[in-house]
Amino acid sequence: MKLLMIEDDLKIATSVKRGLEAEGFLVEVALDGVDGLWKAQESTYDLIILDIMLPGRNGYQICAELRRLGDWTPVLMLTAKDGDLDEAEALDTG
């Protein structure tokens, strides 16, 4: 299973990637929103792990753009945000 993780915190990205690869997943990492969106469009993934607060383009924008382009790859949003409005916005983006 091939995953794309878009996460700007290098320590978190490295740790999560190491854990997922230990379980047999192939993981590619993008460290900002612009690179993440580009990678998501240039290759096919089984899952995208997406941080919300990213430099360049935030996770909401990335998810909305992928959906607008017809890409319905499952997205797991990884974030420290915990408000009801944040959750609603994430669901509204697709």
Side-chain angles (χ1 to χ4, degrees):
M1 184 173 235
K2 185 176 172 184
L3 312 179
L4 173 61
M5 180 171 36
I6 308 172
E7 167 60 61
D8 64 323
D9 185 309
L10 184 57
K11 283 185 176 182
I12 292 173
T14 301
S15 178
V16 173
K17 180 179 185 203
R18 187 178 307 123
L20 289 169
E21 287 178 338
E23 294 298 321
F25 295 99
L26 174 64
V27 182
E28 292 184 17
V29 175
L31 296 173
D32 65 60
V34 174
D35 189 41
L37 180 59
W38 180 82
K39 283 185 178 188
Q41 292 173 350
E42 290 298 309
S43 190
T44 301
Y45 298 93
D46 298 298
L47 176 72
I48 298 172
I49 301 170
L50 180 59
D51 188 11
I52 292 176
M53 297 179 289
L54 294 164
R57 294 187 78 158
N58 69 41
Y60 299 131
Q61 293 168 329
I62 293 169
C63 187
E65 180 66 9
L66 291 172
R67 297 309 187 236
R68 187 187 72 74
L69 295 170
D71 183 341
W72 290 95
T73 303
V75 173
L76 176 65
M77 291 200 172
L78 175 69
T79 184
K81 292 184 152 213
D82 64 355
D84 290 339
L85 293 177
D86 298 313
E87 189 174 320
E89 186 170 358
L91 291 170
D92 286 344
T93 64

